[in-house]
Amino acid sequence: EKALQLFGEIAESNLELDTITFSAAISACEKSGQWKKASQLFGVMIQRNVELDTIVFSAVISACEKGGEWEKASQLFSAITQSYVELDLIAFSAGITSYEKGAQWEKALQLLT
């Protein structure tokens, strides 16, 4: 909650919100079980053309997965695979976990091949 409060204060000030700021806020949402807020912040990043990176994608995918929104998490993972963002082990793990939660083992297996 404190991290999101600080994010709100930064947003209301004249300071620019960048990838690191959004990443921290989305990660805070993930850790506090607020998948909807994480998804909303991700949407704001896209609207503002803030650079996306694997950390942001991984955090929002994980937030959705932990919130029981495995379909949304899977959609986000598909989006990252079609973007310019390079996948890392954390992103792959988040994707596999989201497929596992949705009993989509075939899709999870495809990630490994």
Side-chain angles (χ1 to χ4, degrees):
E1 279 304 310
K2 190 71 173 166
L4 292 176
Q5 180 183 354
L6 181 59
F7 180 83
E9 290 172 12
I10 293 170
E12 291 173 4
S13 72
N14 290 331
L15 297 174
E16 184 178 339
L17 297 172
D18 61 7
T19 304
I20 295 170
T21 312
F22 274 101
S23 180
I26 291 171
S27 292
C29 291
E30 173 204 357
K31 289 174 180 43
S32 63
Q34 298 183 49
W35 72 268
K36 285 183 182 179
K37 184 68 174 175
S39 186
Q40 289 170 350
L41 290 172
F42 184 73
V44 171
M45 284 185 77
I46 292 170
Q47 289 173 348
R48 293 186 180 187
N49 292 319
V50 177
E51 184 179 351
L52 303 174
D53 65 12
T54 189
I55 296 169
V56 170
F57 267 110
S58 297
V60 73
I61 290 168
S62 185
C64 291
E65 174 265 312
K66 289 177 182 175
E69 296 294 317
W70 70 268
E71 288 175 323
K72 182 148 184 72
S74 297
Q75 290 170 353
L76 288 166
F77 186 79
S78 292
I80 191 176
T81 60
Q82 298 171 6
S83 74
Y84 62 90
V85 176
E86 188 174 325
L87 295 171
D88 65 2
L89 182 60
I90 296 169
F92 270 108
S93 178
I96 289 170
T97 302
S98 69
Y99 289 134
E100 180 258 332
K101 296 286 184 181
Q104 301 292 314
W105 64 268
E106 298 95 345
K107 290 182 180 181
L109 188 59
Q110 288 176 353
L111 294 178
L112 301 174
T113 59

